[in-house]
Amino acid sequence: MSELQPSDFERADYRTVLRRLTTLDQRAAALRDEAERWHAERVASASEAVQAAEEEVRQARAEVRAAQRDLETVDARAAGLWSEFVHRVGPAAERFGRTLPPASIPRQRTERDAQDYLDEVESRVKYTAPARPFTIATKILFGIFGFAGGVLGVIGNTVLRQTGEAAGGDWQQAAPVVALLVLLACPVLAVVTAKLVADKRGVGLDTAAVATVLTTGLVTAGLLFTAVQFAQTGT
């Protein structure tokens, strides 16, 4: 039924007006039902949107916690690798800083994550260069160390003896003993120097190498000491 217009009151009779008025309650009820359904639908949609937003927030918080745990794990592993690097390299690592350097973003970004980079760093830190065996040149160098140790021992021995003779007193009595110790200590120091060279090559100093250095040093020291004593006696 069409809606009742103001002009209808002029041309409609009483029954028509009354009949049309009785339909207003029904129409109003239908409109209320429609409004309630619309409101219910909007409330349901809003509730779904709120639930979806809350779920996204929960997922975001979970991802943040996971990222924080990953960051702590990466930082702990990086600190351990840095400590191991400093321990292996020694003071030379201090040019990068005494503490773990700050993280930096690689120039060429790839799909690799932090663990991949840490694995690469770990392989490099734990890499041990293969040992280089002694060559003829190295053995000759050991002989030179022994010769130099013997020469230095004789020079120190001679200087201490002359100093003791010039000083007199108790030092004159102790100088020959100290000079003898210096004469024997210098070849031993030559062995220590050879040990440093062997460590740098990653090879242990074997008995033959030690014998080469020590024998060369003692023989050189003995020959030079005898020559010096003979020269002083002759003069």
Side-chain angles (χ1 to χ4, degrees), residues 30-93:
L31 292 176
R32 284 194 298 271
D33 293 340
E34 182 180 357
E36 290 176 356
R37 288 194 301 270
W38 179 87
H39 180 266
E41 291 176 355
R42 299 286 78 79
V43 170
S45 298
S47 298
E48 292 178 357
V50 170
Q51 292 178 357
E54 291 177 348
E55 181 63 25
E56 292 179 357
V57 170
R58 285 193 293 270
Q59 292 179 357
R61 289 177 177 174
E63 291 176 357
V64 169
R65 290 192 295 269
Q68 184 65 33
R69 289 193 297 268
D70 292 341
L71 177 60
E72 294 173 355
T73 301
V74 169
D75 288 343
R77 188 178 178 190
L81 291 174
W82 177 253
S83 177
E84 184 176 354
F85 171 74
V86 172
H87 178 72
R88 290 173 65 92
V89 176

Short mmCIF file of all heavy atoms in Angstrom, two decimals, residues 30-93:
data_model
loop_
_atom_site.label_atom_id
_atom_site.label_comp_id
_atom_site.label_asym_id
_atom_site.label_seq_id
_atom_site.Cartn_x
_atom_site.Cartn_y
_atom_site.Cartn_z
N ALA A 30 8.23 -3.24 10.73
CA ALA A 30 9.14 -3.76 9.71
C ALA A 30 10.42 -2.95 9.66
O ALA A 30 11.53 -3.49 9.54
CB ALA A 30 8.44 -3.78 8.35
N LEU A 31 10.25 -1.61 9.76
CA LEU A 31 11.44 -0.74 9.76
C LEU A 31 12.32 -0.97 10.98
O LEU A 31 13.55 -0.96 10.91
CB LEU A 31 11.02 0.73 9.67
CG LEU A 31 10.37 1.17 8.34
CD1 LEU A 31 9.90 2.61 8.43
CD2 LEU A 31 11.35 0.99 7.18
N ARG A 32 11.66 -1.20 12.16
CA ARG A 32 12.43 -1.49 13.37
C ARG A 32 13.20 -2.79 13.23
O ARG A 32 14.38 -2.90 13.62
CB ARG A 32 11.51 -1.53 14.59
CG ARG A 32 11.08 -0.15 15.09
CD ARG A 32 10.46 -0.25 16.47
NE ARG A 32 9.26 -1.08 16.47
CZ ARG A 32 8.04 -0.63 16.25
NH1 ARG A 32 7.84 0.68 16.01
NH2 ARG A 32 6.99 -1.44 16.29
N ASP A 33 12.53 -3.80 12.68
CA ASP A 33 13.21 -5.09 12.47
C ASP A 33 14.40 -4.93 11.53
O ASP A 33 15.49 -5.48 11.76
CB ASP A 33 12.23 -6.11 11.91
CG ASP A 33 11.14 -6.49 12.92
OD1 ASP A 33 11.38 -6.25 14.12
OD2 ASP A 33 10.09 -7.01 12.49
N GLU A 34 14.18 -4.17 10.46
CA GLU A 34 15.28 -3.95 9.51
C GLU A 34 16.43 -3.21 10.17
O GLU A 34 17.61 -3.53 9.97
CB GLU A 34 14.75 -3.17 8.31
CG GLU A 34 15.81 -2.95 7.24
CD GLU A 34 15.27 -2.18 6.05
OE1 GLU A 34 14.05 -1.87 6.05
OE2 GLU A 34 16.05 -1.88 5.13
N ALA A 35 16.09 -2.20 10.98
CA ALA A 35 17.13 -1.44 11.67
C ALA A 35 17.89 -2.32 12.67
O ALA A 35 19.11 -2.25 12.81
CB ALA A 35 16.50 -0.23 12.38
N GLU A 36 17.15 -3.16 13.37
CA GLU A 36 17.80 -4.06 14.33
C GLU A 36 18.72 -5.06 13.62
O GLU A 36 19.82 -5.37 14.10
CB GLU A 36 16.75 -4.79 15.16
CG GLU A 36 16.00 -3.86 16.13
CD GLU A 36 14.90 -4.60 16.86
OE1 GLU A 36 14.68 -5.79 16.54
OE2 GLU A 36 14.25 -3.99 17.75
N ARG A 37 18.24 -5.59 12.47
CA ARG A 37 19.10 -6.51 11.72
C ARG A 37 20.36 -5.81 11.23
O ARG A 37 21.46 -6.35 11.29
CB ARG A 37 18.31 -7.09 10.54
CG ARG A 37 17.25 -8.11 10.93
CD ARG A 37 16.78 -8.89 9.71
NE ARG A 37 16.24 -8.00 8.69
CZ ARG A 37 14.95 -7.65 8.63
NH1 ARG A 37 14.09 -8.09 9.55
NH2 ARG A 37 14.52 -6.85 7.67
N TRP A 38 20.16 -4.58 10.73
CA TRP A 38 21.33 -3.82 10.24
C TRP A 38 22.31 -3.56 11.39
O TRP A 38 23.53 -3.71 11.23
CB TRP A 38 20.85 -2.50 9.65
CG TRP A 38 21.97 -1.64 9.15
CD1 TRP A 38 22.55 -1.67 7.93
CD2 TRP A 38 22.63 -0.61 9.89
NE1 TRP A 38 23.54 -0.73 7.85
CE2 TRP A 38 23.62 -0.06 9.06
CE3 TRP A 38 22.46 -0.10 11.18
CZ2 TRP A 38 24.46 0.98 9.45
CZ3 TRP A 38 23.31 0.93 11.58
CH2 TRP A 38 24.29 1.46 10.73
N HIS A 39 21.77 -3.18 12.55
CA HIS A 39 22.63 -2.92 13.71
C HIS A 39 23.37 -4.19 14.14
O HIS A 39 24.56 -4.17 14.46
CB HIS A 39 21.78 -2.36 14.85
CG HIS A 39 22.59 -2.06 16.08
ND1 HIS A 39 22.73 -2.96 17.12
CD2 HIS A 39 23.29 -0.95 16.43
CE1 HIS A 39 23.48 -2.43 18.05
NE2 HIS A 39 23.84 -1.20 17.67
N ALA A 40 22.63 -5.31 14.15
CA ALA A 40 23.25 -6.58 14.55
C ALA A 40 24.37 -6.97 13.58
O ALA A 40 25.43 -7.46 13.99
CB ALA A 40 22.19 -7.67 14.63
N GLU A 41 24.09 -6.75 12.28
CA GLU A 41 25.12 -7.08 11.29
C GLU A 41 26.35 -6.19 11.47
O GLU A 41 27.48 -6.67 11.38
CB GLU A 41 24.54 -6.90 9.88
CG GLU A 41 23.48 -7.93 9.52
CD GLU A 41 22.86 -7.65 8.16
OE1 GLU A 41 23.22 -6.61 7.55
OE2 GLU A 41 22.02 -8.46 7.71
N ARG A 42 26.12 -4.89 11.72
CA ARG A 42 27.26 -3.98 11.93
C ARG A 42 28.03 -4.37 13.20
O ARG A 42 29.25 -4.32 13.23
CB ARG A 42 26.76 -2.53 12.05
CG ARG A 42 26.03 -2.01 10.83
CD ARG A 42 26.99 -1.71 9.66
NE ARG A 42 27.41 -2.91 8.96
CZ ARG A 42 26.65 -3.55 8.05
NH1 ARG A 42 25.43 -3.12 7.78
NH2 ARG A 42 27.08 -4.61 7.43
N VAL A 43 27.31 -4.74 14.26
CA VAL A 43 27.98 -5.15 15.50
C VAL A 43 28.80 -6.41 15.27
O VAL A 43 29.94 -6.55 15.73
CB VAL A 43 26.95 -5.36 16.63
CG1 VAL A 43 27.61 -6.02 17.84
CG2 VAL A 43 26.32 -4.03 17.03
N ALA A 44 28.23 -7.38 14.51
CA ALA A 44 28.95 -8.62 14.22
C ALA A 44 30.20 -8.34 13.39
O ALA A 44 31.28 -8.89 13.64
CB ALA A 44 28.03 -9.60 13.50
N SER A 45 30.04 -7.46 12.39
CA SER A 45 31.20 -7.11 11.55
C SER A 45 32.28 -6.42 12.38
O SER A 45 33.48 -6.71 12.25
CB SER A 45 30.75 -6.21 10.40
OG SER A 45 29.82 -6.87 9.56
N ALA A 46 31.83 -5.50 13.26
CA ALA A 46 32.80 -4.82 14.11
C ALA A 46 33.50 -5.79 15.05
O ALA A 46 34.72 -5.71 15.29
CB ALA A 46 32.11 -3.71 14.90
N SER A 47 32.73 -6.74 15.60
CA SER A 47 33.33 -7.73 16.50
C SER A 47 34.35 -8.59 15.77
O SER A 47 35.45 -8.87 16.30
CB SER A 47 32.23 -8.61 17.10
OG SER A 47 31.32 -7.84 17.87
N GLU A 48 34.01 -8.99 14.55
CA GLU A 48 34.96 -9.77 13.76
C GLU A 48 36.22 -8.96 13.46
O GLU A 48 37.34 -9.49 13.52
CB GLU A 48 34.30 -10.22 12.46
CG GLU A 48 33.18 -11.24 12.66
CD GLU A 48 32.52 -11.61 11.34
OE1 GLU A 48 32.91 -11.03 10.30
OE2 GLU A 48 31.61 -12.47 11.34
N ALA A 49 36.04 -7.68 13.13
CA ALA A 49 37.20 -6.84 12.85
C ALA A 49 38.07 -6.68 14.10
O ALA A 49 39.31 -6.72 14.03
CB ALA A 49 36.74 -5.47 12.35
N VAL A 50 37.42 -6.50 15.26
CA VAL A 50 38.18 -6.37 16.51
C VAL A 50 38.94 -7.66 16.82
O VAL A 50 40.11 -7.65 17.21
CB VAL A 50 37.24 -5.99 17.66
CG1 VAL A 50 37.97 -6.09 19.01
CG2 VAL A 50 36.69 -4.59 17.46
N GLN A 51 38.26 -8.80 16.65
CA GLN A 51 38.92 -10.09 16.90
C GLN A 51 40.10 -10.29 15.96
O GLN A 51 41.16 -10.77 16.37
CB GLN A 51 37.90 -11.22 16.75
CG GLN A 51 36.84 -11.25 17.84
CD GLN A 51 35.83 -12.35 17.62
OE1 GLN A 51 35.90 -13.08 16.62
NE2 GLN A 51 34.87 -12.47 18.55
N ALA A 52 39.90 -9.92 14.67
CA ALA A 52 41.00 -10.06 13.71
C ALA A 52 42.16 -9.15 14.09
O ALA A 52 43.34 -9.55 14.01
CB ALA A 52 40.51 -9.73 12.30
N ALA A 53 41.85 -7.92 14.52
CA ALA A 53 42.90 -7.00 14.94
C ALA A 53 43.64 -7.52 16.17
O ALA A 53 44.87 -7.44 16.27
CB ALA A 53 42.31 -5.61 15.20
N GLU A 54 42.88 -8.06 17.15
CA GLU A 54 43.50 -8.61 18.34
C GLU A 54 44.40 -9.80 18.00
O GLU A 54 45.48 -9.96 18.57
CB GLU A 54 42.43 -9.03 19.35
CG GLU A 54 41.68 -7.85 19.96
CD GLU A 54 40.57 -8.32 20.90
OE1 GLU A 54 40.26 -9.53 20.88
OE2 GLU A 54 40.03 -7.47 21.63
N GLU A 55 43.96 -10.62 17.04
CA GLU A 55 44.78 -11.76 16.61
C GLU A 55 46.07 -11.27 15.95
O GLU A 55 47.15 -11.82 16.19
CB GLU A 55 43.99 -12.64 15.65
CG GLU A 55 44.74 -13.87 15.16
CD GLU A 55 45.07 -14.83 16.29
OE1 GLU A 55 44.35 -14.81 17.32
OE2 GLU A 55 46.04 -15.59 16.14
N GLU A 56 45.96 -10.23 15.12
CA GLU A 56 47.15 -9.67 14.51
C GLU A 56 48.10 -9.09 15.55
O GLU A 56 49.33 -9.23 15.43
CB GLU A 56 46.76 -8.59 13.50
CG GLU A 56 46.04 -9.14 12.27
CD GLU A 56 45.63 -8.04 11.31
OE1 GLU A 56 45.87 -6.85 11.65
OE2 GLU A 56 45.10 -8.35 10.23
N VAL A 57 47.55 -8.47 16.56
CA VAL A 57 48.38 -7.92 17.64
C VAL A 57 49.10 -9.04 18.38
O VAL A 57 50.30 -8.94 18.68
CB VAL A 57 47.53 -7.09 18.60
CG1 VAL A 57 48.32 -6.72 19.86
CG2 VAL A 57 47.02 -5.82 17.91
N ARG A 58 48.36 -10.13 18.67
CA ARG A 58 48.99 -11.27 19.35
C ARG A 58 50.11 -11.86 18.50
O ARG A 58 51.20 -12.18 19.00
CB ARG A 58 47.94 -12.32 19.68
CG ARG A 58 47.02 -11.97 20.85
CD ARG A 58 46.23 -13.18 21.32
NE ARG A 58 45.28 -13.62 20.30
CZ ARG A 58 44.03 -13.18 20.21
NH1 ARG A 58 43.59 -12.30 21.08
NH2 ARG A 58 43.23 -13.64 19.27
N GLN A 59 49.85 -12.00 17.19
CA GLN A 59 50.89 -12.54 16.31
C GLN A 59 52.09 -11.60 16.24
O GLN A 59 53.23 -12.05 16.24
CB GLN A 59 50.30 -12.76 14.91
CG GLN A 59 49.27 -13.87 14.84
CD GLN A 59 48.70 -14.04 13.45
OE1 GLN A 59 49.04 -13.29 12.53
NE2 GLN A 59 47.83 -15.04 13.28
N ALA A 60 51.80 -10.29 16.19
CA ALA A 60 52.91 -9.33 16.13
C ALA A 60 53.75 -9.39 17.41
O ALA A 60 54.98 -9.35 17.36
CB ALA A 60 52.36 -7.92 15.93
N ARG A 61 53.08 -9.50 18.56
CA ARG A 61 53.82 -9.59 19.83
C ARG A 61 54.64 -10.88 19.88
O ARG A 61 55.78 -10.88 20.35
CB ARG A 61 52.85 -9.53 20.99
CG ARG A 61 52.22 -8.15 21.20
CD ARG A 61 51.22 -8.15 22.33
NE ARG A 61 50.68 -6.81 22.56
CZ ARG A 61 49.70 -6.53 23.41
NH1 ARG A 61 49.16 -7.52 24.13
NH2 ARG A 61 49.27 -5.29 23.57
N ALA A 62 54.05 -11.97 19.38
CA ALA A 62 54.80 -13.23 19.36
C ALA A 62 56.01 -13.13 18.44
O ALA A 62 57.11 -13.62 18.76
CB ALA A 62 53.88 -14.37 18.90
N GLU A 63 55.84 -12.47 17.30
CA GLU A 63 56.96 -12.28 16.39
C GLU A 63 58.03 -11.39 17.00
O GLU A 63 59.23 -11.63 16.81
CB GLU A 63 56.47 -11.69 15.07
CG GLU A 63 55.60 -12.65 14.25
CD GLU A 63 55.05 -12.00 12.99
OE1 GLU A 63 55.30 -10.78 12.81
OE2 GLU A 63 54.39 -12.70 12.21
N VAL A 64 57.61 -10.37 17.74
CA VAL A 64 58.58 -9.50 18.42
C VAL A 64 59.37 -10.28 19.46
O VAL A 64 60.60 -10.15 19.56
CB VAL A 64 57.86 -8.30 19.06
CG1 VAL A 64 58.81 -7.53 19.99
CG2 VAL A 64 57.32 -7.37 17.99
N ARG A 65 58.68 -11.12 20.24
CA ARG A 65 59.38 -11.93 21.24
C ARG A 65 60.35 -12.90 20.57
O ARG A 65 61.48 -13.09 21.04
CB ARG A 65 58.37 -12.69 22.11
CG ARG A 65 57.57 -11.79 23.06
CD ARG A 65 56.82 -12.63 24.09
NE ARG A 65 55.80 -13.46 23.45
CZ ARG A 65 54.54 -13.10 23.26
NH1 ARG A 65 54.14 -11.90 23.67
NH2 ARG A 65 53.67 -13.91 22.70
N ALA A 66 59.91 -13.52 19.47
CA ALA A 66 60.78 -14.44 18.75
C ALA A 66 62.00 -13.71 18.18
O ALA A 66 63.13 -14.21 18.24
CB ALA A 66 60.01 -15.14 17.63
N ALA A 67 61.75 -12.51 17.63
CA ALA A 67 62.87 -11.72 17.10
C ALA A 67 63.83 -11.31 18.20
O ALA A 67 65.05 -11.31 18.01
CB ALA A 67 62.33 -10.49 16.37
N GLN A 68 63.30 -10.98 19.37
CA GLN A 68 64.16 -10.61 20.50
C GLN A 68 65.01 -11.80 20.95
O GLN A 68 66.20 -11.65 21.23
CB GLN A 68 63.29 -10.10 21.66
CG GLN A 68 64.09 -9.59 22.85
CD GLN A 68 64.90 -8.36 22.51
OE1 GLN A 68 64.47 -7.56 21.70
NE2 GLN A 68 66.04 -8.22 23.14
N ARG A 69 64.38 -12.99 20.99
CA ARG A 69 65.15 -14.18 21.35
C ARG A 69 66.24 -14.47 20.31
O ARG A 69 67.38 -14.81 20.67
CB ARG A 69 64.22 -15.39 21.50
CG ARG A 69 63.32 -15.34 22.74
CD ARG A 69 62.67 -16.70 22.98
NE ARG A 69 61.80 -17.08 21.88
CZ ARG A 69 60.50 -16.79 21.83
NH1 ARG A 69 59.93 -16.13 22.82
NH2 ARG A 69 59.76 -17.19 20.80
N ASP A 70 65.88 -14.32 19.03
CA ASP A 70 66.88 -14.52 17.98
C ASP A 70 68.02 -13.52 18.10
O ASP A 70 69.20 -13.86 17.93
CB ASP A 70 66.23 -14.40 16.60
CG ASP A 70 65.27 -15.54 16.31
OD1 ASP A 70 65.38 -16.58 17.00
OD2 ASP A 70 64.42 -15.39 15.42
N LEU A 71 67.67 -12.26 18.41
CA LEU A 71 68.70 -11.24 18.57
C LEU A 71 69.63 -11.56 19.72
O LEU A 71 70.86 -11.44 19.61
CB LEU A 71 68.04 -9.88 18.79
CG LEU A 71 68.98 -8.70 19.05
CD1 LEU A 71 69.91 -8.49 17.86
CD2 LEU A 71 68.18 -7.43 19.34
N GLU A 72 69.05 -12.00 20.84
CA GLU A 72 69.88 -12.35 21.99
C GLU A 72 70.78 -13.55 21.67
O GLU A 72 71.95 -13.59 22.08
CB GLU A 72 68.99 -12.66 23.19
CG GLU A 72 68.22 -11.44 23.71
CD GLU A 72 67.23 -11.81 24.80
OE1 GLU A 72 67.08 -13.03 25.06
OE2 GLU A 72 66.61 -10.90 25.38
N THR A 73 70.22 -14.53 20.93
CA THR A 73 71.03 -15.69 20.54
C THR A 73 72.17 -15.28 19.63
O THR A 73 73.33 -15.73 19.80
CB THR A 73 70.14 -16.73 19.84
OG1 THR A 73 69.09 -17.12 20.72
CG2 THR A 73 70.95 -17.95 19.46
N VAL A 74 71.87 -14.43 18.65
CA VAL A 74 72.90 -13.97 17.72
C VAL A 74 73.96 -13.17 18.45
O VAL A 74 75.16 -13.35 18.22
CB VAL A 74 72.25 -13.14 16.59
CG1 VAL A 74 73.33 -12.44 15.76
CG2 VAL A 74 71.41 -14.03 15.69
N ASP A 75 73.54 -12.27 19.35
CA ASP A 75 74.51 -11.46 20.10
C ASP A 75 75.40 -12.35 20.97
O ASP A 75 76.62 -12.11 21.06
CB ASP A 75 73.77 -10.45 20.98
CG ASP A 75 73.15 -9.32 20.17
OD1 ASP A 75 73.55 -9.16 19.00
OD2 ASP A 75 72.27 -8.62 20.68
N ALA A 76 74.81 -13.34 21.62
CA ALA A 76 75.61 -14.23 22.47
C ALA A 76 76.62 -15.02 21.64
O ALA A 76 77.79 -15.16 22.02
CB ALA A 76 74.69 -15.17 23.24
N ARG A 77 76.17 -15.53 20.50
CA ARG A 77 77.09 -16.30 19.65
C ARG A 77 78.18 -15.41 19.07
O ARG A 77 79.34 -15.80 18.99
CB ARG A 77 76.32 -16.98 18.54
CG ARG A 77 77.18 -17.95 17.72
CD ARG A 77 76.38 -18.65 16.65
NE ARG A 77 77.22 -19.53 15.86
CZ ARG A 77 76.83 -20.12 14.74
NH1 ARG A 77 75.59 -19.95 14.30
NH2 ARG A 77 77.66 -20.89 14.06
N ALA A 78 77.80 -14.19 18.66
CA ALA A 78 78.78 -13.25 18.12
C ALA A 78 79.82 -12.89 19.18
O ALA A 78 81.02 -12.82 18.89
CB ALA A 78 78.09 -11.99 17.61
N ALA A 79 79.36 -12.68 20.42
CA ALA A 79 80.31 -12.37 21.50
C ALA A 79 81.25 -13.54 21.76
O ALA A 79 82.45 -13.35 21.99
CB ALA A 79 79.54 -12.02 22.78
N GLY A 80 80.72 -14.77 21.70
CA GLY A 80 81.59 -15.94 21.89
C GLY A 80 82.62 -16.06 20.77
O GLY A 80 83.80 -16.36 21.04
N LEU A 81 82.20 -15.84 19.53
CA LEU A 81 83.13 -15.91 18.40
C LEU A 81 84.19 -14.81 18.50
O LEU A 81 85.36 -15.04 18.19
CB LEU A 81 82.38 -15.80 17.08
CG LEU A 81 81.49 -16.98 16.71
CD1 LEU A 81 80.69 -16.69 15.45
CD2 LEU A 81 82.33 -18.24 16.51
N TRP A 82 83.78 -13.62 18.92
CA TRP A 82 84.75 -12.53 19.07
C TRP A 82 85.77 -12.86 20.16
O TRP A 82 86.97 -12.61 20.00
CB TRP A 82 84.03 -11.23 19.41
CG TRP A 82 84.97 -10.09 19.64
CD1 TRP A 82 85.28 -9.52 20.83
CD2 TRP A 82 85.74 -9.40 18.64
NE1 TRP A 82 86.20 -8.52 20.65
CE2 TRP A 82 86.49 -8.41 19.32
CE3 TRP A 82 85.86 -9.52 17.27
CZ2 TRP A 82 87.35 -7.55 18.65
CZ3 TRP A 82 86.72 -8.66 16.59
CH2 TRP A 82 87.45 -7.69 17.28
N SER A 83 85.29 -13.42 21.27
CA SER A 83 86.20 -13.80 22.34
C SER A 83 87.20 -14.84 21.86
O SER A 83 88.40 -14.77 22.16
CB SER A 83 85.40 -14.32 23.54
OG SER A 83 86.26 -14.76 24.56
N GLU A 84 86.71 -15.82 21.10
CA GLU A 84 87.60 -16.85 20.57
C GLU A 84 88.58 -16.25 19.57
O GLU A 84 89.77 -16.61 19.55
CB GLU A 84 86.78 -17.95 19.90
CG GLU A 84 87.61 -19.13 19.41
CD GLU A 84 86.75 -20.25 18.85
OE1 GLU A 84 85.51 -20.14 18.95
OE2 GLU A 84 87.32 -21.21 18.31
N PHE A 85 88.12 -15.30 18.75
CA PHE A 85 88.99 -14.65 17.78
C PHE A 85 90.10 -13.88 18.49
O PHE A 85 91.28 -13.96 18.11
CB PHE A 85 88.16 -13.71 16.90
CG PHE A 85 88.97 -12.82 16.01
CD1 PHE A 85 89.60 -13.33 14.88
CD2 PHE A 85 89.12 -11.46 16.30
CE1 PHE A 85 90.35 -12.51 14.06
CE2 PHE A 85 89.87 -10.64 15.48
CZ PHE A 85 90.49 -11.16 14.36
N VAL A 86 89.74 -13.11 19.52
CA VAL A 86 90.74 -12.34 20.26
C VAL A 86 91.74 -13.28 20.93
O VAL A 86 92.95 -13.01 20.98
CB VAL A 86 90.05 -11.43 21.29
CG1 VAL A 86 91.06 -10.76 22.21
CG2 VAL A 86 89.20 -10.39 20.58
N HIS A 87 91.24 -14.41 21.45
CA HIS A 87 92.12 -15.36 22.12
C HIS A 87 93.13 -15.98 21.13
O HIS A 87 94.30 -16.17 21.47
CB HIS A 87 91.30 -16.46 22.78
CG HIS A 87 92.12 -17.52 23.45
ND1 HIS A 87 92.82 -17.30 24.62
CD2 HIS A 87 92.39 -18.82 23.09
CE1 HIS A 87 93.47 -18.40 24.96
NE2 HIS A 87 93.22 -19.33 24.05
N ARG A 88 92.68 -16.25 19.92
CA ARG A 88 93.54 -16.88 18.93
C ARG A 88 94.51 -15.88 18.30
O ARG A 88 95.69 -16.18 18.09
CB ARG A 88 92.72 -17.53 17.82
CG ARG A 88 91.96 -18.77 18.27
CD ARG A 88 91.02 -19.26 17.18
NE ARG A 88 91.75 -19.71 16.01
CZ ARG A 88 92.14 -20.96 15.78
NH1 ARG A 88 91.85 -21.90 16.69
NH2 ARG A 88 92.79 -21.31 14.70
N VAL A 89 94.01 -14.67 18.03
CA VAL A 89 94.84 -13.68 17.34
C VAL A 89 95.76 -12.94 18.31
O VAL A 89 96.92 -12.66 17.99
CB VAL A 89 93.95 -12.69 16.57
CG1 VAL A 89 94.79 -11.59 15.92
CG2 VAL A 89 93.15 -13.43 15.52
N GLY A 90 95.24 -12.64 19.49
CA GLY A 90 96.06 -11.95 20.48
C GLY A 90 95.91 -10.44 20.38
O GLY A 90 94.89 -9.91 19.93
N PRO A 91 96.95 -9.69 20.77
CA PRO A 91 96.86 -8.22 20.79
C PRO A 91 96.54 -7.61 19.43
O PRO A 91 96.04 -6.49 19.36
CB PRO A 91 98.25 -7.79 21.28
CG PRO A 91 98.79 -8.99 22.01
CD PRO A 91 98.24 -10.18 21.30
N ALA A 92 96.85 -8.32 18.35
CA ALA A 92 96.57 -7.75 17.02
C ALA A 92 95.09 -7.49 16.81
O ALA A 92 94.72 -6.63 16.00
CB ALA A 92 97.09 -8.71 15.94
N ALA A 93 94.23 -8.20 17.54
CA ALA A 93 92.78 -8.00 17.38
C ALA A 93 92.31 -6.72 18.05
O ALA A 93 91.19 -6.28 17.79
CB ALA A 93 92.03 -9.19 17.98
#
